[in-house]
Every structure is written in structure tokens, then in C-alpha cells.
Amino acid sequence: LSKDDWMVFPFSDEGSIEGEVVFAGYGITAPEYKWDDYKDIDVTGKIVLVLRREPGADDPNSAFDGTETTKYSYFQSKAMNAVQHGAKGMILVTDPSHPTANDNFKGRPMLSFDKEIKMGQSSGPTFLAAHVSRKAAKAWLGEGVMKNWQEKLDAGIQVSQFGASDRSVTLTVERRKEGKPVTLYNVAGRLPATTENATETVVVGAHYDHLGGTEGIEDQIYNGADDNASGTSAMIEMAEAFAGVSERKRDMIFIGFSAEELGLLGSKAFVEQIDTEKVALMLNFDMIGRNSDKAMSIIGDGYATELSDLITESNQRVGLNTKLAGDDYFGASDHDSFFRKNRPFLFFFTGTHDDYHQVTDHADKLDYEQMEKVSQLGFSMLEPIVKGEISPVFIHHISWLGIKLLPGERNVISAVEPKSRGEKAGLRAGDELLLVGETSDSKGIPLRLQQQETGKEVTLQVQGAGEVRTVSVTRAKTGFVGIYPGTVSDEERKKLPIIESEGVLIRELAEKGPAEKAGLKPGDIILQINGNSVLPRSLGSILRRIGAGETVTCLVLRDGERQSIDMVLGERPQR
């Protein structure tokens, strides 16, 4: 096959397999929808060929929640189901009724904010999984064969009544040992301060790369109007606006990042090329042109002082519908590179949609009035920072200890989470950390805490309430639940109902994991863990804070009913 006709899934093992190919429909076993593609077919030791999506994916009357995507459409769900039925490999082909004519195999395989979870190297037999183009499948199977199969499936005819199994294939997956160098460019412009001897910089960024295109008769160009021409437009507007500001006490850098879609490569390179200690704030625009009926998410206000009040005050003049994330963190864009350097940041994001990473992400679908307001808010909020009137200070979240730390000449604890290890050790808001282990350097203390080894005890010297005291704490290993998490759709939130700050959908369970042992089930929605509201993006920090081995109470929504389930957190298995 041509390299443009196939792609290996990131959860595939390495190795080589050869065997008979068995068509397994959509690769779905869903008792609640009375659907089982594997009924009466034997795939043990074979390679299954499955269709993408699910039955009646474009039919509002489909039993599979109409046009809403269920967990059974996920690539990894299909792979796990194949493994459970004894298959040793999976070949997936986009179903003939899919509205996109061709697949894009030039982009990276993980094209979603809701990232796939890699299965890693399995402890059992090798399982390989790949996605092949419809063009290649048609050459292999014959003209119209897949279309005929899909029509039969959607009409309710069982796979076992027509499935083909007279073909064999060899699959080989070998991961590249050395990277192939490709030169890409960030595009940056500097707007110098109007005063002499400026020592700090404000960075305004947006990524300009997208997915390119594929060959085909119909439109195959991934324009990326919202992702992220909307953000780069706002960045350019900001540059023009600040060029007209008469007083700027801080330099400004306006930068279009490359290779964001490949893993934030452009911004990762940039933060290594500059002195990040001089970055007063980084503002990132990524997808700000859609979903105007919903609040725009602002991430980062809980990770620096003064930002939440500044945003609220600035928005009084703009009137944009916004939602501050507070301590919740979402890092799948270029601000993450600055966050990892402990610099104040903000991320403006209006959310994903059906055109996300599709050729249908066109400019005529953008809400330009909303984009203007987002840019105005960015300008209004940044202006006092650029003028030197406000200087945000990064707040370290030491999640395993359950404290927030304001760094500087004095490392002062600004907050302590209830029931955390910090609270149990007697730490209080207002305490100053003088010593962590052997580290007394003020800049080194936050880093020392972040890098503390799991399972190891460390001594803290603390000053507060007129006394100096010494306490010992041990960083537990991150708690492991054993689920493949997903997001709860807006429709489900309204129907159930579920508030915005809660909801982790259990797509699948890890075999013999803590969740399975506790009685949790696929389709359950975790609302709280030990009284803490939980979302997919906050789950990790909560599990780091609680730690492995602890017994927790999960508030779970199952079949519309809320119930409490106790669970002992495990340790994440080593790959």
C-alpha cells in the first residue's frame, strides 16, 4: 500500500502477524442496543476487518443515540472488543456512508483534544491495528462490496449471514527508531516597549499549522478556519491594536506557532530559545470562532495572581459570555509549553464542534462578531499588564501535597486542600516554606516539591504563626482508577441533568482494575471522588493528590440514578 493509504493506530503493538481476515461489521458488541457483530462468527487467532463509526451514524432515528456518537465508535473500543473475542489484529476502513470522501493519513493519528489512551505494549499476544483507505479496501475487496455490506448491516442482517473470510493478510508494525528531520518555522514579530530598559515581555500566540490535505475528487483541503485561522487572526489584530498604544513598559512578541498539531513542537522549541523568566504573561488564542451560544472557556486564571479579577473587570466593557476554569487545567495547545516553564498564561477557547479536524471547517461558519469580542477582551485584559500596572505571579499547584504555592523571595502557601496530605501534615495558608529536604533556595523549593519521588518521605521546615516547625510528608504514587475516560455530551448534561463542573464518562474498564473490582460499569458517569467534583481534565490532579492505596467514595450516575460506590485506588501498571 502507498503510505497515503494507511495508518497504524497509536495503541497498536509492534511485531508481525499473518492470518485469515474476517469481516466483523462495525466491530461492536453493545447489549444495551441489542447489537453484536461477533454473534456466531469465530475470530479467534484471526484479523478482523471492521467499519468505522456505528450503525445508522447519520440517522436521527438510529438506536445508537441517533446522530450522537456513542463510546462504541471509538477506535480503541473496537480494538478492545476484537481482543476480547480472540482476534490478533484489526483493520479498520471508513464506512462508505461517511460524508468525507477520503481519509487523511498525512496528519498525525491522534487528531482530538479528547486524546486516545495508548494501550502500550500488551502483556499478552501481539495485537496489531491499522486504518486503511477506502480506495485500498475497494481494490482489495471489489467495487461496491463494502457498500453492500453496510446496507445489509444497517438493515439488521447479522454479519454471520454474509461475512467474508476467504482472504489473508500480513501486518507488520515497526516503530521508527530514529526521527526524520523536517524543518518548520515559527513566525514572530517583536513590538518593543516605548520605555528604555524594558526587562519583561508579554507573548501573544496562536498556531497557524493544520492538517494539510489529501488527494481526491471533492474538496480535500483542511482549511482550519476555526482551527486555527480564527486564533491567528486575533493575534494579528492584537498586534495592530497594541502598535497604537502610546505607552508600553513591556516588550511584546506576537508569534504564529508551527507544528502544534504534531505535539506543540513550535512552542516547545520557542520556550527553549528565549529567557522564559522574562515572560510576564502568555496569551494563547486557539479556536475562538464557533459555539457562540456557549460560554468561552478561559484556562489559566487559577494559575497566576490577579488574573481572574482582571478578566472579570475587563469583560464588563466587552460583554462576552465567558467561563473561568479556575484550578482546572486543559493543556492541549501552545500555552502548555509556557505552563511547564511556570509562567503565567491564559488560553482563550470556544470549544470543539463537528467540523473540528474536518475538511468542512470553512470560513463561512465562523462567528466574526464573537471573534471581535474575544480580541477586544484580550486587548482590554492585556493592556494594564503591557503598561506595567499589573504583574501576575505564577501559582504552583503541588497537587500531590494539596497546596498552592506563591514563589518569590518567600515561598508562601496560599491555599491548602481539605483532607490533603498537606492539611494532614499541619500546613496552613500563610505558612512560608523555608526548607524542603536539603533545598533552601527560594527558586528551587517549588521545583524540589514537584520532583519529589513517589514513596519517599521528605522533611519540610515551615514558618508560620510566629514559630518555625518541621513536618514530614510522603508523596504517594498517583492513584489509578482503571478506566478509559470520556466527556459527557451537552445533550446528556441537559437530559440527566449534570452540572458543568462534573462528569467523567467511563468508556471502558481496564481488566481487573480498581474500578472494575469496585463494581463500576462502562457507561457510568463519575461525578465526584471524595466530594471533589471531577472532569476528565481534573481527574489526574485529584488522583495525584489522593494517592494509591487510599479508599475513596465515588458519586456515580448510573441509568439516571445517583449512587455512592467505595473504591480502593490502585497503582498505575508499568508498561
Side-chain angles (χ1 to χ4, degrees), residues 290-328:
R290 298 284 293 271
N291 300 318
S292 50
D293 58 327
K294 302 175 184 177
M296 181 184 75
S297 295
I298 298 180
I299 290 92
D301 60 290
Y303 287 81
T305 60
E306 303 186 87
L307 290 185
S308 59
D309 289 342
L310 177 58
I311 294 167
T312 301
E313 181 181 344
S314 300
N315 198 32
Q316 290 177 357
R317 298 187 289 274
V318 178
L320 184 68
N321 185 13
T322 62
K323 178 176 66 176
L324 300 182
D327 293 344
D328 286 346

Side-chain angles (χ1 to χ4, degrees), residues 418-480:
K419 301 180 182 179
S420 65
R421 279 173 169 70
E423 185 185 67
K424 292 175 181 177
L427 300 181
R428 299 183 292 266
D431 284 348
E432 179 185 354
L433 287 180
L434 304 176
L435 194 69
V436 177
E438 301 294 325
T439 302
S440 58
D441 173 59
S442 60
K443 289 187 177 180
I445 283 177
L447 184 63
R448 176 67 177 80
L449 284 173
Q450 289 169 343
Q451 296 180 343
Q452 172 66 18
E453 291 184 57
T454 58
K456 297 291 183 67
E457 185 180 73
V458 64
T459 300
L460 312 179
Q461 191 179 84
V462 184
Q463 179 173 292
E467 64 174 354
V468 175
R469 60 191 190 279
T470 300
V471 300
S472 295
V473 290
T474 300
R475 179 172 185 172
K477 294 184 178 180
T478 299
F480 176 64

Side-chain angles (χ1 to χ4, degrees), residues 271-531:
V271 297
E272 297 303 328
Q273 296 165 348
I274 65 171
D275 183 357
T276 53
E277 288 294 319
K278 294 181 179 179
V279 175
L281 181 88
M282 188 272 179
L283 173 58
N284 180 32
F285 293 106
D286 191 355
M287 298 180 66
I288 60 166
R290 298 284 293 271
N291 300 318
S292 50
D293 58 327
K294 302 175 184 177
M296 181 184 75
S297 295
I298 298 180
I299 290 92
D301 60 290
Y303 287 81
T305 60
E306 303 186 87
L307 290 185
S308 59
D309 289 342
L310 177 58
I311 294 167
T312 301
E313 181 181 344
S314 300
N315 198 32
Q316 290 177 357
R317 298 187 289 274
V318 178
L320 184 68
N321 185 13
T322 62
K323 178 176 66 176
L324 300 182
D327 293 344
D328 286 346
Y329 181 70
F330 178 49
S333 190
D334 290 306
H335 61 281
D336 186 68
S337 299
F338 293 81
F339 164 71
R340 294 182 183 279
K341 292 290 185 179
N342 299 326
R343 303 316 302 155
F345 69 92
L346 285 172
F347 172 33
F348 285 8
F349 174 56
T350 58
T352 59
H353 41 76
D354 290 341
D355 298 307
Y356 171 63
H357 281 175
Q358 303 297 322
V359 296
T360 52
D361 186 3
H362 292 310
D364 59 359
K365 297 180 179 181
L366 296 177
D367 185 333
Y368 292 96
E369 183 178 347
Q370 172 178 264
M371 289 168 58
E372 183 180 19
K373 285 188 175 183
V374 173
S375 302
Q376 288 173 344
L377 177 58
F379 177 85
S380 180
M381 183 271 309
L382 275 189
E383 189 174 22
I385 299 176
V386 173
K387 289 183 175 180
E389 299 167 359
I390 293 177
S391 298
V393 176
F394 186 79
I395 300 172
H396 290 274
H397 289 225
I398 314 298
S399 57
W400 70 267
L401 191 53
I403 67 170
K404 297 179 187 177
L405 194 62
L406 294 176
E409 294 183 4
R410 301 170 61 241
N411 284 282
V412 178
I413 298 173
S414 61
V416 181
E417 288 282 344
K419 301 180 182 179
S420 65
R421 279 173 169 70
E423 185 185 67
K424 292 175 181 177
L427 300 181
R428 299 183 292 266
D431 284 348
E432 179 185 354
L433 287 180
L434 304 176
L435 194 69
V436 177
E438 301 294 325
T439 302
S440 58
D441 173 59
S442 60
K443 289 187 177 180
I445 283 177
L447 184 63
R448 176 67 177 80
L449 284 173
Q450 289 169 343
Q451 296 180 343
Q452 172 66 18
E453 291 184 57
T454 58
K456 297 291 183 67
E457 185 180 73
V458 64
T459 300
L460 312 179
Q461 191 179 84
V462 184
Q463 179 173 292
E467 64 174 354
V468 175
R469 60 191 190 279
T470 300
V471 300
S472 295
V473 290
T474 300
R475 179 172 185 172
K477 294 184 178 180
T478 299
F480 176 64
V481 177
I483 65 171
Y484 297 94
T487 57
V488 181
S489 68
D490 292 338
E491 289 73 16
E492 284 292 292
R493 289 188 179 279
K494 292 177 182 177
K495 183 173 69 175
L496 289 172
I498 302 173
I499 60 176
E500 290 185 350
S501 62
E502 297 180 347
V504 176
L505 173 67
I506 300 179
R507 289 162 44 188
E508 298 288 345
L509 294 170
E511 186 177 0
K512 298 180 181 179
E516 184 181 74
K517 292 177 181 177
L520 292 172
K521 300 178 180 179
D524 285 350
I525 298 173
I526 302 176
L527 304 175
Q528 297 178 6
I529 296 178
N530 271 7

Side-chain angles (χ1 to χ4, degrees), residues 20-21 164-168:
E20 180 184 358
V21 177
S165 59
D166 58 350
R167 295 168 176 82
S168 295

Side-chain angles (χ1 to χ4, degrees), residues 4 8 11 105 163 177 215 268 305 361 395 408 431 434 458 513:
D4 292 338
V8 175
F11 49 76
F105 296 125
K177 298 299 185 292
E215 296 180 1
K268 287 178 179 178
T305 60
D361 186 3
I395 300 172
D431 284 348
L434 304 176
V458 64

Side-chain angles (χ1 to χ4, degrees), residues 10 28 30 72 79 84 172 185 263 266 297 301 343 353 428 455 480 537 557-558 561:
I28 292 173
Y72 296 107
Q84 290 169 0
T172 301
Y185 298 93
S297 295
D301 60 290
R343 303 316 302 155
H353 41 76
R428 299 183 292 266
F480 176 64
R537 64 190 183 204
L557 189 63
R558 176 182 295 169
E561 299 290 331

